Amino acid sequence: MSGKRVLVVDAGGRGNAIAHAFARSPVVSAVYVAPGNAGSEMLEKCRLASRHGKGPKSISELLDFVKKESIDLTFVGPEGYLSEGMVNVFQEAGQRIIGPKKEAAILEGSKCFTKDLLKSLKVPVPPFQNFSDAAEAKEYALQYCAENPKKGLVIKADGLAAGKGSVVCSSSVEALSAIDRIMVNPRLFGPAGSKIEIEERLNGRELMFFALSDGRTVLPLESALDYKQAFASNEGVAIRLFNKLSGNPILDNNPNTGGMGGFSPHPWLDEELTEKIMRRIAVPTVRGFKEATGHEYAGVIYFGLMISEEKEPAVLEINVRLGDPEAEVILPRLKTDFYQLSQAILDRELEAVELEWSQEFCLGICAISGRAIKPLSSGGEERPGYPGEHYTNMPISGLDKIDPDVLVYHNGTAFGADATGKNRLFTTGGRVLTLVARGGTLGEARSKAYENIKRIHFNGMRYRKDIGLGYV
Ligand code: AMP
Ligand code: GLY
């Protein structure tokens, strides 16, 4: 019998990790990835989706691909396609596809809508206000900071901003500057910033909580401790230089990124906290969303939480997908067959599923395009690096020196010809690679990851040196 054929839609490291999870299923014979990257072609059973030498990108091209290539199941990684209604289009065409429909993707697509909904459902959220007028937002921020001198604010663009739309502020000066940059032309995140949500900055520890939903049952996944800020706290000089080169007047602001690495299992997500998050947040959100809108939520749901000292969770944001790079350290630990699990979501049979996890630790480090100066011959311009402006098309070397049991998921790479015509691997994005090492202890995984990442090189390569530090 021929095996199942899967399409994974994702351009990054998360897509590599999802494709790898499907490829481990004995019932799967081929995994196609669109648009994918060079890493998608380096995993067993996996290849880039292509028709007539061209990679399908738009929803209609992808639908054409799955029909022509007899794909059994499609899994969507990023929020953009989901918000555009990819699941609606595929389902109307009779295709089996994992992810929420457009109507449900609003939980990530509009922070203002989501915070209003959660508040109405009595799901814990920080105190917040939504604004569509910059002057009113500034007046509120000024008054709030004057009345609450010890508290900070977080200014959030309402719409999708590639994970960079939230600015954590500790003073009114920072808050006003963030409102200007998000709401006033030229808007930093484009139309996503025409509305903003301003919320109180909470103290505590952050936790990303992932679950699967088939519309009826919500099933928690294991989690990862992730590192969102671009720099470790002892990298003050690099932080100031980054802000100087980025034109940000707040020189000490350690910028948020999509993620710089992480490890799984999460050190303090125990059974008791999981049960509390399920009971107070995950289940009421999925049920309440259906009651409020009439739409079911199916697919992965991801809650960005702040856990207070008293172990009380509050929702900072909801995403409608797996995290990147969280997927890269969580999925390698999943022993349950990923194809069968996806079938259970589509057949509304999650209630009968018990997930099986490996007890080993996975630690991932993202290698990013950091500060780099182009040679004088090509202009000599200096760029601050990810999450700001960065260079691409830098040749990458050293992947052949990585230990065989270490995983390298690619976030932004492509093959191309170098000056001598030789086929080589090049950087194409801010995040370039996520190297994931496994071990019986976190310390073992950590040493292996840091030993191996030193063997990889590209111009401007940078990574955080403190992933897992303090937890081993
Ligand atoms: P978000 O886009 O809402 O996930 O926010 C991005 C990051 O900003 C979070 O992961 C937190 O590190 C930080 N953040 C967002 N909201 C808050 C808040 N209310 N209090 C403290 N930190 C926050
Ligand atoms: N790592 C954060 C995200 O995927 O949104």
Side-chain angles (χ1 to χ4, degrees), residues 111 154 156 166 199-202 206 228 256 317:
K111 288 192 194 301
V154 187
K156 301 186 176 188
S166 299
E199 67 186 38
E200 187 177 302
R201 178 180 180 172
L202 299 185
E206 260 191 89
K228 278 212 156 133
N256 262 328
E317 67 160 348

Side-chain angles (χ1 to χ4, degrees), residues 130-143:
N130 297 332
F131 295 92
S132 44
D133 180 90
E136 280 175 26
K138 285 191 202 171
E139 196 181 321
Y140 171 82
L142 272 178
Q143 191 176 341

